[in-house]
Amino acid sequence: MSTPHEGDPFAEAAGEAVETAVTSVRLVLAIADAVRRHQQRKAKGAAQEPAPAEQAANDAKAELKDLLPADLSAALLKGADWPQLAQQLMALKTAGVDLEQLLPRVGEIAVSVRDQVAANHERIAREGTGQWEKTLRETLPAGPVREAILSSPAWPDIAATMGRLDQRGVDVRRILAAAHDEGLGVDRAVAKVLAAGEVPATSRDAILSWGPMTEGLDLPKDLDLSDRERALRQVAVSPQENQRFARLVREAMPGRERDADLMVAARQWPVVAARMAEMESGGQSVQDHLAGLMADTSWEKGQGSLGTRLLQTTSDALRRPPGTVGTVGRPRVSTTAARAQSSTVNPSKAQAPKAQAPKRAAPTDPQVVRAAPAAKQGRTR
């Protein structure tokens, strides 16, 4: 087994899992040897002395072949205490213990320990990346840089690095902001070379999502809802967050879990998941807003599929104050007004105010977006 590279979290985790498994082998062999000595002392008055270390090491090496997994055998042979372990093994064999039966059982124990340690590292890594996905969502605007980070095979390593920097008191958000500007420049330069254009074209999914459902959300212009995994990366919602949001919906609809599953399977679910993530980042309770889903079940009837109707109702519930009930139905979207108000048009730039346009209150019906009429000259409010 090669020595893990220092600083490589994957190699370090694998090395720790194997080393922990080897420790369990040492423990089992030490206990077996203690039992051997005790039995021999009872029968003969003294335990049999082990063979010389060098001879025992050579003999035991042959015994290990094919009886233990290769990574565990290699770790044992390279350990500083291998001569002592070899003496214990050969003493057990001399005392009548069948190593061909003992070692595979010890190997099963060690493999179980190794896999448990590896799974624990994987769990910690998942939790760690989930935390930093949230940080990316709050720090970086939606776009090619954020998606490139989350889709990179090196993302767990990147998240681990951010975690270590954070533990040392480094302002990771400031580094991310600076890295985003550099990454955006790289993206544009490469796109220019590939003749793909510097700015991605607005996707059909982004166009169709304009309106109340996406109001206030930072969504990319090239939103791709046909690829669920990519769409969740684009809105910086981790798999763990997505599973938790789906569970919250099921819990809010007792007895209607199948209907909730239809909603989660709907095409625009990642947009609703992004809304939930945004709410939690702002300290709002998603559960309180979802509590009204069973109070008004008018989503059971209407146009479109049940999952889509429920998705629209859930989006509406998340944008209303908790405990209020709104109308249900497919939103009628004014493309002109939605384009002017939607953050998906260009989430990194603020919308410029229109000249001589008075401030208007938000529409009373959140499902309907209408284009604002031109302001009358000289009108006062």
Side-chain angles (χ1 to χ4, degrees), residues 271-325:
V271 178
V272 173
R275 173 77 63 188
M276 294 180 181
E278 187 73 20
M279 291 174 64
E280 288 193 341
S281 295
Q284 300 183 61
S285 172
V286 172
Q287 293 96 319
D288 291 346
H289 287 260
L290 294 177
L293 290 178
M294 295 300 291
D296 175 17
T297 58
S298 54
W299 45 265
E300 292 178 330
K301 299 180 180 180
Q303 296 181 349
S305 67
L306 175 61
T308 300
R309 295 197 303 270
L310 184 53
L311 188 81
Q312 293 166 353
T313 304
T314 302
S315 175
D316 184 45
L318 293 173
R319 289 179 286 109
R320 293 194 314 264
T324 60
V325 178

Side-chain angles (χ1 to χ4, degrees), residues 55 123 131 138 143 155 161 163 192 209 219-220 234 238 241 244 285 305 311 329 346 351 371 373 380:
Q55 177 185 345
R123 177 186 61 80
Q131 171 194 350
E138 296 172 348
W155 164 235
T161 300
K192 191 172 184 179
S209 297
L219 301 179
Q234 287 183 303
S238 70
E241 286 179 312
R244 183 165 55 83
S285 172
S305 67
L311 188 81
N346 193 341
Q351 297 292 334
T380 59

Side-chain angles (χ1 to χ4, degrees), residues 14-341:
E16 181 179 340
V18 171
E19 182 56 36
T20 305
V22 168
T23 300
S24 70
V25 172
R26 294 188 179 105
L27 175 61
V28 174
L29 293 182
I31 292 173
D33 191 58
V35 172
R36 173 191 67 82
R37 289 175 176 274
H38 178 71
Q39 186 66 20
Q40 288 179 337
R41 280 196 299 268
K42 284 176 58 179
K44 302 178 181 180
Q48 183 177 353
E49 291 300 319
E54 184 176 353
Q55 177 185 345
N58 292 330
D59 294 340
K61 183 178 180 180
E63 295 288 346
L64 286 182
K65 186 178 180 181
D66 299 329
L67 295 180
L68 286 180
D71 56 346
L72 300 181
S73 297
L76 282 171
L77 293 174
K78 290 182 178 181
D81 60 347
W82 167 240
Q84 290 75 34
L85 290 175
Q87 286 180 313
Q88 291 178 349
L89 279 172
M90 299 317 298
L92 288 169
K93 182 177 182 179
T94 302
V97 175
D98 188 346
L99 296 185
E100 291 187 0
Q101 292 186 11
L102 173 65
L103 287 178
R105 291 196 295 267
V106 174
E108 290 178 2
I109 296 172
V111 167
S112 176
V113 171
R114 181 194 63 193
D115 293 347
Q116 288 176 18
V117 174
N120 186 55
H121 274 290
E122 184 178 352
R123 177 186 61 80
I124 294 173
R126 286 198 305 266
E127 293 174 352
T129 56
Q131 171 194 350
W132 292 110
E133 282 177 341
K134 178 181 178 182
T135 301
L136 285 178
R137 181 173 61 244
E138 296 172 348
T139 306
L140 304 185
V145 176
R146 192 172 76 182
E147 184 184 354
I149 295 172
L150 294 175
S151 62
S152 170
W155 164 235
D157 194 8
I158 294 172
T161 300
M162 290 194 290
R164 288 195 295 269
L165 290 173
D166 182 66
Q167 291 175 356
R168 296 171 185 173
V170 177
D171 188 349
V172 176
R173 292 174 183 265
R174 184 174 181 180
I175 295 177
L176 285 175
H180 172 265
D181 294 339
E182 297 300 324
L184 195 60
V186 171
D187 176 78
R188 288 173 174 169
V190 174
K192 191 172 184 179
V193 171
L194 297 176
E198 294 189 8
V199 180
T202 303
S203 67
R204 177 175 173 79
D205 285 326
I207 294 173
L208 294 179
S209 297
W210 280 334
M213 184 175 287
T214 61
E215 181 182 352
L217 293 181
D218 182 20
L219 301 179
K221 293 180 64 177
D222 59 344
L223 181 65
D224 183 8
L225 296 176
S226 65
D227 185 337
R228 174 61 61 89
E229 185 177 347
R230 184 191 176 195
L232 291 172
R233 285 200 308 266
Q234 287 183 303
V235 298
V237 172
S238 70
Q240 292 72 38
E241 286 179 312
N242 182 56
Q243 292 173 5
R244 183 165 55 83
F245 294 150
R247 186 181 70 249
L248 291 180
V249 174
R250 294 187 188 99
E251 292 174 351
M253 302 176 63
R256 306 297 295 270
E257 289 82 2
R258 292 185 63 183
D259 296 335
D261 289 340
L262 288 175
M263 178 185 67
V264 174
R267 184 181 180 90
Q268 288 187 305
W269 165 255
V271 178
V272 173
R275 173 77 63 188
M276 294 180 181
E278 187 73 20
M279 291 174 64
E280 288 193 341
S281 295
Q284 300 183 61
S285 172
V286 172
Q287 293 96 319
D288 291 346
H289 287 260
L290 294 177
L293 290 178
M294 295 300 291
D296 175 17
T297 58
S298 54
W299 45 265
E300 292 178 330
K301 299 180 180 180
Q303 296 181 349
S305 67
L306 175 61
T308 300
R309 295 197 303 270
L310 184 53
L311 188 81
Q312 293 166 353
T313 304
T314 302
S315 175
D316 184 45
L318 293 173
R319 289 179 286 109
R320 293 194 314 264
T324 60
V325 178
T327 59
V328 179
R330 187 174 180 84
R332 299 182 298 277
V333 179
S334 167
T335 304
T336 303
R339 182 187 292 272
Q341 297 176 18

